[in-house]
Amino acid sequence: MVSSSHRRTVHGHLMAVDLSFFQSQTAQQLRAEGRAESRAKDLLLLLGHRGVEVSEEDRERIVGCGDPDVLGLWFRKALTATSTAEVFASDGESGADAG
C-alpha cells in the first residue's frame, strides 16, 4: 500500500512537468501539419469514393498543400464536384475552364 505522503510527492512531481512544449511554436506547427495531412487523406478518399479521377499532378497538389483551410475548402467542393478542376476552381470560375 502506498502512503498518502508518497502519493502527494508523486503527484507534485507529475504536476511539475514542463508542458510548455505543447504550447510552443514547434508544437503548433506539428499539429497544423498533422491536420493538413489528415485533411489531404480525407480529400483523396472522398474523391476516390465518388469516382473522381485524380491525376498524379493533382494528388501531389493535394498532398503538398499544407494549409488546412484550403484543404477544407477543396473538401467541401469535392462533395459535389465531378472533376478535380471543379475542386481547384476559384469561386465564379467554371470547372471546364479551370486548369
Side-chain angles (χ1 to χ4, degrees):
M1 182 164 198
V2 179
S3 72
S4 62
S5 133
H6 182 67
R7 280 195 305 266
R8 280 194 300 273
T9 301
V10 169
H11 182 263
H13 288 294
L14 290 173
M15 294 297 105
V17 171
D18 180 13
L19 301 175
S20 63
F21 169 78
F22 297 103
Q23 298 172 358
S24 72
Q25 200 67 7
T26 301
Q28 291 175 18
Q29 172 101 22
L30 290 171
R31 282 192 294 276
E33 288 173 8
R35 281 191 303 273
E37 184 178 318
S38 178
R39 287 190 177 186
K41 287 179 183 179
D42 290 344
L43 175 55
L44 291 169
L45 181 66
L46 173 63
L47 291 168
H49 180 72
R50 295 198 60 245
V52 175
E53 186 176 329
V54 179
S55 70
E56 188 58 36
E57 181 180 328
D58 291 340
R59 181 176 303 281
E60 287 176 14
R61 182 175 180 182
I62 292 168
V63 172
C65 180
D67 187 335
D69 293 332
V70 170
L71 289 160
L73 173 65
W74 289 347
F75 185 88
R76 289 187 298 278
K77 288 182 175 187
L79 292 169
T80 57
T82 58
S83 70
T84 54
E86 289 180 36
V87 172
F88 298 137
S90 300
D91 289 336
E93 190 177 335
S94 74
D97 297 333

Coordinates of all heavy atoms in Angstrom, one line a residue:
M1 N 0.8 -1.2 0.0 CA 0.0 0.0 0.0 C 0.9 1.2 0.0 O 1.9 1.3 0.7 CB -0.9 0.0 1.2 CG -1.8 1.1 1.3 SD -3.1 0.7 2.5 CE -4.3 1.9 2.0
V2 N 0.5 2.2 -0.8 CA 1.3 3.5 -0.9 C 0.7 4.5 0.1 O -0.5 4.7 0.2 CB 1.2 4.0 -2.4 CG1 1.9 5.3 -2.5 CG2 1.6 3.0 -3.4
S3 N 1.7 5.1 0.8 CA 1.3 6.1 1.7 C 0.8 7.4 1.0 O 1.1 7.7 -0.1 CB 2.4 6.5 2.6 OG 3.4 7.2 1.9
S4 N -0.1 8.1 1.8 CA -0.6 9.3 1.2 C 0.5 10.4 1.0 O 0.4 11.2 0.0 CB -1.7 9.9 2.1 OG -1.2 10.3 3.3
S5 N 1.5 10.3 1.8 CA 2.6 11.3 1.6 C 3.4 11.0 0.3 O 3.8 11.9 -0.4 CB 3.5 11.2 2.8 OG 4.8 11.1 2.5
H6 N 3.6 9.7 0.0 CA 4.2 9.3 -1.2 C 3.4 9.7 -2.4 O 3.9 10.2 -3.4 CB 4.5 7.8 -1.2 CG 5.2 7.3 -2.4 ND1 6.5 7.7 -2.7 CD2 4.8 6.5 -3.5 CE1 6.9 7.1 -3.9 NE2 5.9 6.4 -4.4
R7 N 2.1 9.5 -2.3 CA 1.2 9.9 -3.4 C 1.2 11.4 -3.7 O 1.3 11.8 -4.8 CB -0.3 9.5 -3.1 CG -0.6 8.0 -3.3 CD -2.1 7.7 -3.4 NE -2.8 8.2 -2.1 CZ -3.0 7.4 -1.1 NH1 -2.6 6.1 -1.1 NH2 -3.6 7.9 0.0
R8 N 1.3 12.1 -2.6 CA 1.4 13.6 -2.8 C 2.7 14.0 -3.4 O 2.7 14.8 -4.3 CB 1.3 14.3 -1.4 CG -0.2 14.4 -0.9 CD -0.3 15.4 0.2 NE 0.5 15.0 1.4 CZ 0.1 14.2 2.3 NH1 -1.1 13.7 2.3 NH2 0.9 13.9 3.4
T9 N 3.8 13.3 -3.1 CA 5.1 13.6 -3.7 C 5.1 13.2 -5.2 O 5.5 14.0 -6.0 CB 6.2 12.7 -3.0 OG1 6.2 13.1 -1.6 CG2 7.5 13.0 -3.6
V10 N 4.5 12.1 -5.5 CA 4.5 11.7 -6.9 C 3.6 12.7 -7.7 O 3.9 13.1 -8.8 CB 4.0 10.2 -7.0 CG1 3.6 9.9 -8.5 CG2 5.0 9.3 -6.5
H11 N 2.4 13.0 -7.1 CA 1.5 13.9 -7.7 C 2.2 15.3 -8.0 O 2.1 15.9 -9.0 CB 0.3 14.1 -6.9 CG -0.7 15.0 -7.5 ND1 -0.8 16.4 -7.2 CD2 -1.7 14.8 -8.4 CE1 -1.8 16.9 -7.9 NE2 -2.3 16.0 -8.6
G12 N 3.0 15.7 -7.0 CA 3.7 17.0 -7.1 C 4.7 17.0 -8.2 O 4.8 17.9 -9.0
H13 N 5.4 15.8 -8.4 CA 6.4 15.7 -9.5 C 5.6 15.7 -10.8 O 6.1 16.3 -11.8 CB 7.2 14.4 -9.3 CG 8.2 14.4 -8.2 ND1 9.3 15.3 -8.3 CD2 8.3 13.7 -7.1 CE1 10.0 15.1 -7.2 NE2 9.4 14.2 -6.4
L14 N 4.5 15.0 -10.9 CA 3.8 15.0 -12.1 C 3.2 16.4 -12.5 O 3.3 16.7 -13.7 CB 2.6 14.0 -12.0 CG 2.9 12.5 -12.0 CD1 1.7 11.7 -11.7 CD2 3.6 12.1 -13.3
M15 N 2.8 17.1 -11.6 CA 2.3 18.5 -11.8 C 3.4 19.4 -12.2 O 3.2 20.5 -12.8 CB 1.5 19.0 -10.6 CG 0.3 18.2 -10.3 SD -0.9 18.3 -11.7 CE -0.8 16.7 -12.4
A16 N 4.7 19.1 -11.8 CA 5.8 20.0 -12.1 C 6.4 19.8 -13.5 O 7.3 20.5 -13.9 CB 6.9 19.8 -11.1
V17 N 5.8 18.8 -14.3 CA 6.3 18.5 -15.6 C 6.2 19.8 -16.5 O 5.1 20.4 -16.4 CB 5.6 17.3 -16.2 CG1 6.0 17.2 -17.7 CG2 5.9 16.1 -15.4
D18 N 7.2 20.1 -17.2 CA 7.1 21.3 -18.1 C 6.3 20.9 -19.3 O 6.7 20.1 -20.2 CB 8.6 21.7 -18.5 CG 8.6 22.9 -19.4 OD1 7.6 23.6 -19.5 OD2 9.7 23.1 -20.0
L19 N 5.2 21.6 -19.4 CA 4.3 21.3 -20.6 C 4.4 22.4 -21.6 O 3.6 22.5 -22.5 CB 2.8 21.2 -20.1 CG 2.5 20.1 -19.1 CD1 1.1 20.2 -18.6 CD2 2.8 18.8 -19.7
S20 N 5.4 23.3 -21.5 CA 5.5 24.4 -22.4 C 5.7 24.0 -23.8 O 5.3 24.7 -24.8 CB 6.6 25.4 -22.0 OG 7.9 24.7 -22.1
F21 N 6.3 22.8 -24.1 CA 6.5 22.3 -25.4 C 5.1 22.2 -26.2 O 5.0 22.6 -27.3 CB 7.1 20.9 -25.5 CG 7.1 20.3 -26.8 CD1 8.0 20.7 -27.8 CD2 6.1 19.4 -27.2 CE1 7.9 20.2 -29.1 CE2 6.0 18.9 -28.5 CZ 6.9 19.3 -29.4
F22 N 4.1 21.8 -25.5 CA 2.8 21.6 -26.1 C 2.1 23.0 -26.5 O 1.2 23.0 -27.3 CB 1.8 20.8 -25.2 CG 2.4 19.5 -25.0 CD1 3.0 19.1 -23.8 CD2 2.3 18.5 -26.0 CE1 3.5 17.9 -23.6 CE2 2.8 17.2 -25.8 CZ 3.4 16.9 -24.6
Q23 N 2.7 24.1 -26.0 CA 2.2 25.4 -26.4 C 3.2 26.1 -27.3 O 2.9 27.2 -27.7 CB 1.9 26.2 -25.1 CG 0.9 25.6 -24.3 CD 0.8 26.3 -22.9 OE1 1.5 27.3 -22.6 NE2 -0.1 25.9 -22.1
S24 N 4.3 25.5 -27.6 CA 5.4 26.1 -28.4 C 5.0 26.3 -29.8 O 4.1 25.6 -30.3 CB 6.7 25.3 -28.2 OG 6.5 24.1 -29.0
Q25 N 5.7 27.1 -30.5 CA 5.6 27.3 -32.0 C 5.8 26.0 -32.7 O 5.0 25.7 -33.6 CB 6.6 28.4 -32.4 CG 6.2 29.0 -33.7 CD 5.0 29.9 -33.6 OE1 4.4 30.1 -32.6 NE2 4.6 30.4 -34.8
T26 N 6.7 25.2 -32.3 CA 7.0 23.9 -32.9 C 5.8 23.0 -32.8 O 5.4 22.3 -33.7 CB 8.3 23.3 -32.3 OG1 9.4 24.2 -32.5 CG2 8.6 21.9 -33.0
A27 N 5.3 22.9 -31.6 CA 4.1 22.0 -31.4 C 2.9 22.5 -32.2 O 2.2 21.6 -32.8 CB 3.8 22.0 -29.9
Q28 N 2.7 23.7 -32.2 CA 1.6 24.3 -33.0 C 1.8 23.9 -34.5 O 0.9 23.5 -35.2 CB 1.5 25.8 -32.8 CG 1.0 26.1 -31.5 CD 1.0 27.7 -31.2 OE1 1.0 28.4 -32.2 NE2 0.9 28.0 -30.0
Q29 N 3.0 24.0 -35.0 CA 3.4 23.7 -36.4 C 3.1 22.2 -36.6 O 2.5 21.8 -37.7 CB 4.8 24.1 -36.7 CG 5.3 23.6 -38.0 CD 5.4 24.7 -39.0 OE1 5.4 25.8 -38.7 NE2 5.3 24.3 -40.3
L30 N 3.5 21.4 -35.7 CA 3.3 19.9 -35.9 C 1.9 19.6 -35.9 O 1.4 18.7 -36.7 CB 4.1 19.2 -34.8 CG 5.6 19.2 -34.8 CD1 6.2 18.6 -33.5 CD2 6.1 18.4 -36.0
R31 N 1.1 20.2 -35.1 CA -0.4 20.0 -35.1 C -1.0 20.4 -36.4 O -1.8 19.7 -36.9 CB -1.1 20.6 -33.9 CG -0.9 19.9 -32.6 CD -1.8 20.4 -31.5 NE -1.5 21.8 -31.1 CZ -0.6 22.1 -30.2 NH1 0.2 21.2 -29.6 NH2 -0.4 23.4 -29.9
A32 N -0.6 21.6 -36.9 CA -1.1 22.1 -38.2 C -0.8 21.1 -39.3 O -1.6 20.8 -40.2 CB -0.6 23.5 -38.4
E33 N 0.5 20.6 -39.3 CA 0.9 19.7 -40.3 C 0.1 18.4 -40.3 O -0.3 17.9 -41.3 CB 2.4 19.4 -40.2 CG 3.3 20.6 -40.6 CD 4.8 20.3 -40.3 OE1 5.1 19.2 -39.9 OE2 5.5 21.3 -40.5
G34 N -0.2 18.0 -39.1 CA -1.0 16.7 -38.9 C -2.4 16.9 -39.4 O -3.0 16.1 -40.0
R35 N -3.0 18.1 -39.1 CA -4.3 18.4 -39.6 C -4.3 18.5 -41.1 O -5.3 17.9 -41.7 CB -4.8 19.7 -39.0 CG -5.3 19.6 -37.6 CD -6.1 20.9 -37.2 NE -5.3 22.1 -37.3 CZ -4.4 22.6 -36.4 NH1 -4.3 22.0 -35.2 NH2 -3.8 23.7 -36.6
A36 N -3.3 19.1 -41.7 CA -3.3 19.2 -43.2 C -3.1 17.8 -43.8 O -3.8 17.5 -44.8 CB -2.1 20.1 -43.6
E37 N -2.3 17.0 -43.2 CA -2.1 15.6 -43.7 C -3.3 14.8 -43.7 O -3.7 14.1 -44.6 CB -0.9 14.9 -43.0 CG -0.6 13.6 -43.5 CD 0.5 12.9 -42.7 OE1 1.5 13.6 -42.4 OE2 0.5 11.7 -42.5
S38 N -4.0 15.0 -42.6 CA -5.3 14.2 -42.4 C -6.4 14.7 -43.4 O -7.1 13.9 -43.9 CB -5.8 14.4 -40.9 OG -7.0 13.8 -40.7
R39 N -6.4 16.0 -43.5 CA -7.4 16.6 -44.5 C -7.1 16.2 -45.9 O -8.0 15.9 -46.7 CB -7.5 18.1 -44.4 CG -8.2 18.5 -43.1 CD -8.5 20.0 -43.1 NE -9.2 20.3 -41.8 CZ -9.8 21.4 -41.6 NH1 -9.7 22.4 -42.4 NH2 -10.4 21.6 -40.5
A40 N -5.8 16.1 -46.3 CA -5.4 15.7 -47.6 C -5.9 14.2 -47.8 O -6.4 13.9 -48.9 CB -3.9 15.9 -47.8
K41 N -5.6 13.4 -46.9 CA -6.0 12.0 -47.0 C -7.5 11.9 -47.1 O -8.0 11.1 -47.9 CB -5.5 11.2 -45.8 CG -4.1 10.9 -45.8 CD -3.7 10.1 -44.5 CE -2.2 9.9 -44.5 NZ -1.8 9.2 -43.3
D42 N -8.3 12.6 -46.3 CA -9.7 12.6 -46.4 C -10.2 13.0 -47.8 O -11.2 12.5 -48.3 CB -10.4 13.5 -45.3 CG -10.2 13.0 -43.9 OD1 -9.8 11.8 -43.7 OD2 -10.3 13.7 -42.9
L43 N -9.6 14.1 -48.3 CA -10.0 14.6 -49.6 C -9.8 13.6 -50.7 O -10.6 13.3 -51.5 CB -9.2 15.9 -49.9 CG -9.4 16.5 -51.3 CD1 -10.9 16.8 -51.6 CD2 -8.6 17.8 -51.4
L44 N -8.6 12.9 -50.7 CA -8.3 11.9 -51.7 C -9.3 10.7 -51.5 O -9.7 10.1 -52.5 CB -6.8 11.4 -51.5 CG -5.8 12.5 -52.0 CD1 -4.4 12.0 -51.6 CD2 -5.9 12.7 -53.5
L45 N -9.6 10.4 -50.3 CA -10.5 9.3 -50.0 C -11.9 9.6 -50.6 O -12.5 8.8 -51.3 CB -10.6 9.0 -48.5 CG -11.5 7.8 -48.1 CD1 -11.0 6.5 -48.6 CD2 -11.6 7.8 -46.6
L46 N -12.4 10.8 -50.4 CA -13.7 11.3 -50.9 C -13.7 11.3 -52.4 O -14.6 10.7 -53.0 CB -14.0 12.7 -50.3 CG -15.2 13.3 -50.9 CD1 -16.5 12.5 -50.5 CD2 -15.4 14.8 -50.4
L47 N -12.7 11.8 -53.0 CA -12.6 11.9 -54.5 C -12.6 10.4 -55.0 O -13.4 10.2 -56.0 CB -11.4 12.6 -54.9 CG -11.4 14.1 -54.7 CD1 -10.1 14.8 -54.9 CD2 -12.5 14.8 -55.5
G48 N -11.9 9.6 -54.4 CA -11.8 8.2 -54.9 C -13.2 7.5 -54.7 O -13.6 6.8 -55.6
H49 N -13.8 7.7 -53.6 CA -15.1 7.1 -53.3 C -16.2 7.6 -54.3 O -17.0 6.8 -54.7 CB -15.5 7.4 -51.9 CG -16.8 6.9 -51.5 ND1 -17.0 5.5 -51.3 CD2 -18.1 7.4 -51.3 CE1 -18.3 5.3 -51.0 NE2 -18.9 6.4 -51.0
R50 N -16.1 8.9 -54.7 CA -17.0 9.4 -55.6 C -16.7 9.1 -57.1 O -17.4 9.5 -58.0 CB -17.1 11.0 -55.4 CG -17.7 11.3 -54.0 CD -18.1 12.7 -53.9 NE -19.2 13.0 -54.9 CZ -19.1 13.8 -55.9 NH1 -18.0 14.5 -56.1 NH2 -20.1 13.9 -56.8
G51 N -15.6 8.5 -57.3 CA -15.2 8.1 -58.7 C -14.6 9.2 -59.5 O -14.5 9.2 -60.7
V52 N -14.1 10.3 -58.8 CA -13.5 11.4 -59.5 C -12.0 11.0 -59.7 O -11.3 10.7 -58.8 CB -13.5 12.7 -58.6 CG1 -12.8 13.8 -59.3 CG2 -15.0 13.1 -58.4
E53 N -11.6 11.1 -61.0 CA -10.2 10.7 -61.4 C -9.3 11.8 -60.8 O -9.5 13.0 -61.0 CB -10.1 10.6 -62.9 CG -8.7 10.1 -63.3 CD -8.7 10.0 -64.9 OE1 -9.7 9.7 -65.5 OE2 -7.6 10.1 -65.4
V54 N -8.2 11.3 -60.2 CA -7.2 12.2 -59.6 C -5.9 11.9 -60.3 O -5.3 10.8 -60.1 CB -7.1 12.1 -58.1 CG1 -6.0 13.0 -57.5 CG2 -8.4 12.3 -57.4
S55 N -5.3 12.8 -61.1 CA -4.1 12.6 -61.7 C -2.9 12.7 -60.7 O -3.1 13.1 -59.6 CB -3.8 13.7 -62.8 OG -3.6 15.0 -62.1
E56 N -1.8 12.2 -61.1 CA -0.6 12.3 -60.2 C -0.3 13.7 -59.8 O 0.0 14.0 -58.6 CB 0.6 11.6 -60.8 CG 1.8 11.4 -59.9 CD 1.4 10.6 -58.6 OE1 0.6 9.7 -58.7 OE2 2.0 10.9 -57.5
E57 N -0.4 14.6 -60.8 CA -0.2 16.0 -60.5 C -1.2 16.6 -59.5 O -0.8 17.3 -58.6 CB -0.3 16.8 -61.8 CG 0.0 18.3 -61.7 CD -0.2 19.0 -63.0 OE1 0.1 18.4 -64.1 OE2 -0.6 20.2 -63.0
D58 N -2.4 16.2 -59.6 CA -3.5 16.7 -58.7 C -3.2 16.1 -57.3 O -3.4 16.8 -56.3 CB -4.9 16.3 -59.1 CG -5.3 17.1 -60.4 OD1 -4.7 18.2 -60.6 OD2 -6.2 16.7 -61.1
R59 N -2.8 14.8 -57.3 CA -2.5 14.1 -56.0 C -1.4 14.9 -55.3 O -1.5 15.1 -54.1 CB -2.2 12.7 -56.2 CG -1.9 11.9 -55.0 CD -1.7 10.4 -55.3 NE -2.8 9.8 -56.0 CZ -3.9 9.4 -55.4 NH1 -4.1 9.5 -54.1 NH2 -4.9 8.9 -56.1
E60 N -0.4 15.2 -56.0 CA 0.8 15.9 -55.4 C 0.4 17.3 -54.9 O 0.8 17.7 -53.9 CB 1.9 16.0 -56.5 CG 2.6 14.7 -56.7 CD 3.7 14.8 -57.8 OE1 4.0 16.0 -58.2 OE2 4.1 13.8 -58.3
R61 N -0.5 18.0 -55.7 CA -1.0 19.3 -55.3 C -1.8 19.2 -53.9 O -1.6 20.0 -53.0 CB -1.9 19.9 -56.3 CG -2.4 21.2 -56.0 CD -3.2 21.8 -57.1 NE -3.7 23.2 -56.8 CZ -4.5 23.9 -57.6 NH1 -4.8 23.5 -58.8 NH2 -4.9 25.1 -57.2
I62 N -2.6 18.1 -53.8 CA -3.4 17.9 -52.6 C -2.5 17.6 -51.4 O -2.5 18.2 -50.4 CB -4.5 16.9 -52.8 CG1 -5.5 17.4 -53.8 CG2 -5.1 16.4 -51.5 CD1 -6.5 16.3 -54.3
V63 N -1.6 16.6 -51.6 CA -0.7 16.2 -50.5 C 0.3 17.2 -50.2 O 0.6 17.4 -49.0 CB 0.0 14.8 -50.9 CG1 1.1 14.5 -49.9 CG2 -1.0 13.7 -51.1
G64 N 0.7 18.0 -51.1 CA 1.7 19.1 -50.9 C 1.1 20.3 -50.3 O 1.8 21.2 -49.8
C65 N -0.2 20.4 -50.2 CA -0.9 21.6 -49.6 C -0.8 21.5 -48.1 O -1.3 20.6 -47.5 CB -2.3 21.7 -50.1 SG -3.1 23.2 -49.4
G66 N -0.2 22.5 -47.5 CA 0.0 22.5 -46.0 C -1.0 23.3 -45.3 O -0.9 23.5 -44.1
D67 N -2.0 23.9 -46.0 CA -3.0 24.8 -45.4 C -4.3 24.0 -45.1 O -5.0 23.7 -46.1 CB -3.2 26.0 -46.3 CG -4.1 27.0 -45.7 OD1 -4.9 26.7 -44.8 OD2 -4.0 28.2 -46.1
P68 N -4.6 23.7 -43.9 CA -5.8 23.0 -43.6 C -7.1 23.7 -44.0 O -8.1 23.1 -44.4 CB -5.8 22.9 -42.0 CG -4.4 23.1 -41.6 CD -3.8 24.0 -42.7
D69 N -7.0 25.1 -44.1 CA -8.2 25.8 -44.5 C -8.5 25.6 -46.0 O -9.6 25.4 -46.4 CB -8.1 27.3 -44.2 CG -8.1 27.6 -42.7 OD1 -8.7 26.8 -42.0 OD2 -7.4 28.6 -42.3
V70 N -7.4 25.6 -46.8 CA -7.5 25.4 -48.3 C -8.0 24.0 -48.5 O -8.9 23.7 -49.3 CB -6.2 25.6 -49.0 CG1 -6.3 25.2 -50.4 CG2 -5.8 27.1 -48.9
L71 N -7.4 23.0 -47.8 CA -7.9 21.6 -47.9 C -9.3 21.4 -47.5 O -10.0 20.7 -48.1 CB -6.9 20.7 -47.1 CG -5.5 20.6 -47.7 CD1 -4.6 20.1 -46.7 CD2 -5.6 19.7 -48.9
G72 N -9.8 22.2 -46.5 CA -11.1 22.1 -46.1 C -12.1 22.7 -47.2 O -13.1 22.1 -47.4
L73 N -11.6 23.8 -47.8 CA -12.4 24.3 -48.9 C -12.5 23.3 -50.1 O -13.6 23.1 -50.6 CB -11.8 25.6 -49.4 CG -12.4 26.3 -50.7 CD1 -13.8 26.7 -50.4 CD2 -11.5 27.4 -51.1
W74 N -11.4 22.7 -50.4 CA -11.4 21.7 -51.5 C -12.3 20.5 -51.1 O -13.0 20.0 -52.0 CB -10.0 21.2 -51.8 CG -9.1 22.3 -52.4 CD1 -9.4 23.4 -53.0 CD2 -7.6 22.2 -52.6 NE1 -8.3 24.1 -53.5 CE2 -7.2 23.3 -53.3 CE3 -6.7 21.2 -52.2 CZ2 -5.9 23.6 -53.6 CZ3 -5.4 21.5 -52.5 CH2 -5.0 22.6 -53.2
F75 N -12.2 20.1 -49.9 CA -13.1 19.0 -49.4 C -14.5 19.3 -49.7 O -15.3 18.5 -50.2 CB -12.8 18.7 -48.0 CG -13.5 17.4 -47.5 CD1 -12.9 16.2 -47.6 CD2 -14.8 17.5 -46.9 CE1 -13.6 15.1 -47.2 CE2 -15.4 16.4 -46.5 CZ -14.9 15.2 -46.6
R76 N -14.9 20.5 -49.2 CA -16.3 20.9 -49.4 C -16.7 20.9 -50.9 O -17.8 20.5 -51.3 CB -16.6 22.3 -48.7 CG -16.6 22.2 -47.2 CD -17.0 23.5 -46.5 NE -16.1 24.6 -46.8 CZ -15.0 24.8 -46.2 NH1 -14.5 24.0 -45.3 NH2 -14.2 25.8 -46.5
K77 N -15.8 21.4 -51.7 CA -16.1 21.4 -53.2 C -16.2 20.0 -53.7 O -17.0 19.7 -54.6 CB -15.0 22.2 -53.9 CG -15.1 23.7 -53.7 CD -14.1 24.4 -54.5 CE -14.2 25.9 -54.4 NZ -13.2 26.6 -55.3
A78 N -15.3 19.1 -53.2 CA -15.3 17.7 -53.7 C -16.6 17.0 -53.4 O -16.8 16.0 -54.0 CB -14.1 17.0 -53.1
L79 N -17.4 17.5 -52.4 CA -18.6 16.8 -52.1 C -19.6 16.7 -53.3 O -20.3 15.8 -53.4 CB -19.3 17.5 -50.9 CG -18.6 17.4 -49.6 CD1 -19.3 18.3 -48.6 CD2 -18.7 15.9 -49.1
T80 N -19.5 17.7 -54.2 CA -20.3 17.8 -55.4 C -19.6 17.8 -56.7 O -20.2 17.7 -57.7 CB -21.3 19.0 -55.3 OG1 -20.5 20.2 -55.2 CG2 -22.2 18.9 -54.1
A81 N -18.3 18.0 -56.7 CA -17.5 18.1 -57.9 C -17.5 16.8 -58.7 O -17.5 15.7 -58.1 CB -16.1 18.5 -57.6
T82 N -17.4 17.0 -60.0 CA -17.3 15.8 -60.9 C -15.9 15.7 -61.5 O -15.6 14.8 -62.2 CB -18.3 15.9 -62.0 OG1 -18.1 17.1 -62.8 CG2 -19.7 15.9 -61.5
S83 N -15.0 16.7 -61.1 CA -13.6 16.6 -61.6 C -12.8 17.4 -60.6 O -13.3 18.2 -59.8 CB -13.5 17.3 -63.0 OG -13.7 18.7 -62.9
T84 N -11.5 17.2 -60.6 CA -10.6 17.9 -59.7 C -10.5 19.4 -60.2 O -10.2 20.3 -59.4 CB -9.1 17.3 -59.7 OG1 -8.7 17.2 -61.0 CG2 -9.2 16.0 -59.0
A85 N -10.7 19.6 -61.5 CA -10.8 21.0 -61.9 C -11.8 21.8 -61.2 O -11.6 23.0 -60.8 CB -11.0 21.1 -63.5
E86 N -13.0 21.2 -60.9 CA -14.0 21.9 -60.1 C -13.6 22.1 -58.7 O -13.9 23.1 -58.1 CB -15.3 21.0 -60.2 CG -16.0 21.0 -61.5 CD -17.3 20.2 -61.5 OE1 -18.0 20.2 -60.4 OE2 -17.6 19.6 -62.5
V87 N -12.8 21.1 -58.2 CA -12.4 21.2 -56.8 C -11.4 22.4 -56.7 O -11.5 23.2 -55.7 CB -11.7 19.9 -56.3 CG1 -11.0 20.1 -55.0 CG2 -12.7 18.8 -56.3
F88 N -10.5 22.6 -57.6 CA -9.5 23.6 -57.6 C -9.9 24.9 -58.1 O -9.2 25.9 -57.9 CB -8.2 23.2 -58.3 CG -7.6 21.9 -57.8 CD1 -7.1 20.9 -58.6 CD2 -7.4 21.7 -56.4 CE1 -6.5 19.8 -58.2 CE2 -6.8 20.6 -55.9 CZ -6.3 19.6 -56.8
A89 N -11.1 25.0 -58.8 CA -11.6 26.2 -59.4 C -11.8 27.3 -58.3 O -12.3 27.0 -57.2 CB -12.8 26.0 -60.2
S90 N -11.5 28.5 -58.7 CA -11.8 29.7 -57.8 C -13.3 29.9 -57.8 O -14.0 29.5 -58.8 CB -11.1 30.9 -58.3 OG -9.7 30.7 -58.3
D91 N -13.8 30.6 -56.8 CA -15.2 30.9 -56.9 C -15.5 31.7 -58.1 O -14.8 32.6 -58.5 CB -15.6 31.8 -55.6 CG -15.6 30.9 -54.4 OD1 -15.7 29.7 -54.5 OD2 -15.4 31.5 -53.3
G92 N -16.6 31.4 -58.8 CA -17.0 32.0 -60.0 C -16.3 31.5 -61.3 O -16.7 31.9 -62.4
E93 N -15.4 30.6 -61.1 CA -14.7 30.0 -62.2 C -15.3 28.6 -62.5 O -15.5 27.8 -61.6 CB -13.2 29.8 -61.8 CG -12.3 29.5 -62.9 CD -10.9 29.4 -62.4 OE1 -10.5 30.0 -61.4 OE2 -10.1 28.7 -63.0
S94 N -15.6 28.4 -63.7 CA -16.2 27.1 -64.1 C -15.1 26.0 -64.1 O -14.0 26.2 -64.4 CB -16.9 27.1 -65.4 OG -16.0 27.1 -66.5
G95 N -15.5 24.8 -63.8 CA -14.6 23.7 -63.7 C -14.0 23.4 -65.1 O -12.8 23.0 -65.2
A96 N -14.8 23.5 -66.2 CA -14.3 23.2 -67.5 C -13.2 24.2 -67.9 O -12.3 23.9 -68.7 CB -15.4 23.3 -68.5
D97 N -13.2 25.4 -67.4 CA -12.2 26.4 -67.8 C -11.0 26.4 -66.8 O -10.0 27.1 -67.1 CB -12.8 27.8 -67.7 CG -14.0 28.0 -68.7 OD1 -14.0 27.3 -69.8 OD2 -14.8 28.8 -68.5
A98 N -11.1 25.7 -65.7 CA -10.0 25.7 -64.7 C -8.9 24.9 -65.2 O -9.1 23.9 -65.9 CB -10.5 25.3 -63.4
G99 N -7.7 25.2 -64.8 CA -6.6 24.3 -65.2 C -5.4 24.9 -65.0 O -4.4 25.0 -64.8

